């Protein structure tokens, strides 16, 4: 198995951004962060400016939009900051920002896969539907004995990849070994270690077997955790 060092990237760091041009000539900005070697999972930062709509299409993989700032629009529904919006594999839709809001977000897939543009709208099967979990909702949180709180958002049935929100109280300290490749994105607060500090809007991608001692800042910390597959039994 390949061994690699942690990847650390902040959304607002201007380096690494590229422009992606669509078939209709419109474009959006994208910042590749991770392509996982196990299953091809992609984790990118993206930015849709006001009024951008990605024309009708579907993907050969499930994908998630986590809204950092602004509004994500899909099939007539609007999702604000903190929303984690899942489109299952094969779900056909057009999505983008809104006429009066940009959308700054993380793009996460469960595996590698292509996009297929569609010449006309098509009805989705009943078993395919958008799922939405918000980091700022009070429901769904589970309190652990050590004071950490977790809200499970999604587990992919094919690859075992999972997404969860984590809340750490002020000063929370722990040493963690990662048994699968894991991403930590700081939504609010700060997470410090002896090697680096993760401030808001920073993603750290940590390889399997990595061990680190963490401490939450004096205002606590809210995280999105991304795991590339299920943990070993």
């Amino acid at each position: 198995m390949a061994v690699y060092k942690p990847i650390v990237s902040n959304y607002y760091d201007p380096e690494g951004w590229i422009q992606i041009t669509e078939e209709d000539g419109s474009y959006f900005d994208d910042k590749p962060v991770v392509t996982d070697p196990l299953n091809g999972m992609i984790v990118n930062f993206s930015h849709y400016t006001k009024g951008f709509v990605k024309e009708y299409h579907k993907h050969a993989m499930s994908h998630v939009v986590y809204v950092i700032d602004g509004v994500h629009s899909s099939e007539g529904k609007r999702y604000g900051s903190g929303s984690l919006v899942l489109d299952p594999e094969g779900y056909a839709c057009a999505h983008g920002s809104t006429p009066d809001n940009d959308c700054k977000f993380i793009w996460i897939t469960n595996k590698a896969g292509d996009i297929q543009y569609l010449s006309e709208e098509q009805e989705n099967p009943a078993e395919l539907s958008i799922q939405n979990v918000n980091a700022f909702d009070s429901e769904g949180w589970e309190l652990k004995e050590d004071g950490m709180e977790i809200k499970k958002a999604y587990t992919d049935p094919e690859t075992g990849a999972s997404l969860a929100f984590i809340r750490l109280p002020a000063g929370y300290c722990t040493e963690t070994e990662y048994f699968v490749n894991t991403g930590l994105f700081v939504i609010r607060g700060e997470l410090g270690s002896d090697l680096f500090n993760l401030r808001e809007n920073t993603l750290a991608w940590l390889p399997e077997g990595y061990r680190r001692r963490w401490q939450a800042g004096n205002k606590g910390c809210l995280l999105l955790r991304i795991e590339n597959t299920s943990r070993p039994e």
Side-chain angles (χ1 to χ4, degrees), residues 62-187:
S62 299
H63 62 280
V64 163
V65 165
Y66 173 74
V67 182
I68 297 172
D69 189 34
V71 179
H72 174 68
S73 175
S74 182
E75 299 299 280
K77 295 184 179 180
R78 297 161 63 101
Y79 304 93
S81 299
S83 294
L84 191 152
V85 185
L86 167 74
D87 286 7
E89 181 177 340
Y91 186 84
C93 68
H95 60 75
S97 56
T98 64
D100 52 350
N101 290 278
D102 286 20
C103 184
K104 299 175 181 179
F105 62 96
I106 308 174
W107 167 266
I108 307 165
T109 73
N110 67 328
K111 60 182 180 181
D114 296 328
I115 185 171
Q116 178 186 354
Y117 289 97
L118 305 171
S119 58
E120 57 184 22
E121 294 187 16
Q122 67 180 50
E123 186 174 350
N124 288 297
E127 66 270 17
L128 296 184
S129 61
I130 293 176
Q131 299 177 39
N132 174 41
V133 180
N134 194 286
F136 304 129
D137 286 348
S138 59
E139 296 181 355
W141 289 96
E142 177 185 356
L143 177 63
K144 300 296 186 179
E145 291 184 359
D146 63 356
M148 178 183 78
E149 295 179 89
I150 184 168
K151 179 194 281 193
K152 296 178 181 178
Y154 175 69
T155 299
D156 182 67
E158 179 181 352
T159 65
S162 66
L163 302 168
F165 296 116
I166 293 175
R167 287 197 302 217
L168 305 177
Y172 177 94
C173 190
T174 185
E175 184 169 336
T176 304
E177 181 177 356
Y178 296 92
F179 296 101
V180 297
N181 295 344
T182 302
L184 299 176
F185 178 76
V186 180
I187 300 170

Side-chain angles (χ1 to χ4, degrees), residues 39 48 55 76 83 99 197 208 227:
N39 51 24
Y48 293 164
E55 60 188 58
S83 294
N197 289 332
E208 176 185 344
E227 294 182 327

Side-chain angles (χ1 to χ4, degrees), residues 1-112:
M1 178 177 294
V3 177
Y4 56 98
K5 295 181 179 180
I7 297 169
V8 179
S9 182
N10 186 276
Y11 185 93
Y12 292 99
D13 185 341
E15 295 184 3
W17 287 92
I18 58 176
Q19 191 175 92
I20 306 295
T21 303
E22 297 285 284
E23 290 187 344
D24 63 358
S26 62
Y27 61 88
F28 65 96
D29 295 319
D30 199 56
K31 184 178 183 178
V33 181
V34 173
T35 299
D36 189 80
L38 177 66
N39 51 24
M41 169 188 271
I42 295 169
V43 183
N44 287 354
F45 293 143
S46 293
H47 179 203
Y48 293 164
T49 54
K50 296 176 183 178
F52 175 86
V53 177
K54 195 172 183 68
E55 60 188 58
Y56 216 73
H57 66 282
K58 60 183 179 181
H59 291 277
M61 72 288 197
S62 299
H63 62 280
V64 163
V65 165
Y66 173 74
V67 182
I68 297 172
D69 189 34
V71 179
H72 174 68
S73 175
S74 182
E75 299 299 280
K77 295 184 179 180
R78 297 161 63 101
Y79 304 93
S81 299
S83 294
L84 191 152
V85 185
L86 167 74
D87 286 7
E89 181 177 340
Y91 186 84
C93 68
H95 60 75
S97 56
T98 64
D100 52 350
N101 290 278
D102 286 20
C103 184
K104 299 175 181 179
F105 62 96
I106 308 174
W107 167 266
I108 307 165
T109 73
N110 67 328
K111 60 182 180 181

